[in-house]
Amino acid sequence: MNNEKVYRRALKDRPEFKTKLKPLTCSKDTTVQKAVSSMAEKNFGSVVVVDSEQKVIGVLTERDIMMKLVHEGKNAEKTSVSEIMTKDVKVARESDDIIDWLRIMSNERFRRLPVVDDSGRIVCVFTQGDFVSYTWPELIFQAKELAKAGVLKNLPILLIGGGLFIYALLTLGAIYFTLE
């Protein structure tokens, strides 16, 4: 039976959750030019596209702009955000487990995670950078615990092995000095 405690770490429990800036949002009819101007003014890498109830319907990223607008030679003043935004965006709830989303973001290769409240309205956006601040201290702690557990678990083997090694050295030393 596994006696390990499993702790849920909700997104809303992260210290940075309370201090996250309000996400930059726009409607699907906003021109890409206007969205890019807002992104540049606020120094944001994305805009969350919302409906009239502030529910997420897409995300416009710098990559979307580069690949679907600039690369295809479209006019930013005449192209609406809905034409080039990423649709079918994964959205997390405030109470979701951070480890689950870290895994999903890593496996599915996306960097921005809109977080919504219980009504489905946008609250903030978590990025991979937010998860790095969580994972490094946690990984270091887990590595220390595994090292401790590994040494203690194998202590009898290490003592026996070390004893045999010392015995072998002493025996070889005795033989060497006897032959001289």
Side-chain angles (χ1 to χ4, degrees):
M1 181 174 182
N2 188 353
N3 290 331
E4 285 184 42
K5 292 182 181 178
V6 177
Y7 298 100
R8 283 189 48 85
R9 294 169 185 99
L11 291 167
K12 67 181 176 186
D13 295 335
R14 294 294 305 143
E16 60 269 14
F17 183 83
K18 293 170 186 70
T19 60
K20 296 286 291 172
L21 296 175
K22 183 177 180 348
L24 187 58
T25 61
C26 72
S27 73
K28 65 180 184 171
D29 300 322
T30 303
T31 65
V32 174
Q33 179 63 47
K34 185 172 181 184
V36 167
S37 292
S38 296
M39 290 168 68
E41 181 182 309
K42 303 267 188 191
N43 196 27
F44 278 35
S46 66
V47 176
V48 180
V49 185
V50 295
D51 63 15
S52 60
E53 296 178 10
Q54 294 297 297
K55 294 185 179 184
V56 178
I57 58 173
V59 173
L60 178 68
T61 66
E62 295 164 322
R63 184 176 182 87
D64 292 328
I65 296 163
M66 180 182 67
M67 299 299 289
K68 300 173 188 174
L69 183 93
V70 175
H71 179 70
E72 293 182 13
K74 292 182 178 179
N75 183 336
E77 293 174 354
K78 294 180 180 175
T79 304
S80 69
V81 166
S82 63
E83 294 177 54
I84 66 167
M85 71 183 184
T86 299
K87 299 172 179 82
D88 301 320
V89 176
K90 301 256 189 243
V91 177
R93 296 231 178 251
E94 297 170 305
S95 58
D96 286 352
D97 187 73
I98 195 168
I99 298 295
D100 293 340
W101 279 109
L102 179 61
R103 187 177 305 111
I104 292 166
M105 289 177 75
S106 179
N107 290 341
E108 297 186 24
R109 307 265 185 234
F110 62 94
R111 296 183 293 170
R112 294 173 181 88
L113 178 66
V115 180
V116 299
D117 62 19
D118 289 334
S119 300
R121 291 183 179 88
I122 186 70
V123 175
C124 66
V125 176
F126 265 67
T127 65
Q128 283 183 337
D130 296 320
F131 289 105
V132 168
S133 72
Y134 168 76
T135 55
W136 277 112
E138 184 73 13
L139 288 173
I140 290 169
F141 172 77
Q142 287 179 7
K144 286 179 183 176
E145 291 301 307
L146 286 172
K148 284 183 204 174
V151 167
L152 293 177
K153 180 178 156 186
N154 296 319
L155 188 60
I157 295 169
L158 291 172
L159 290 173
I160 292 169
L164 289 172
F165 180 72
I166 292 171
Y167 175 77
L169 284 176
L170 291 173
T171 304
L172 288 173
I175 292 172
Y176 177 76
F177 288 116
T178 305
L179 294 174
E180 283 190 348

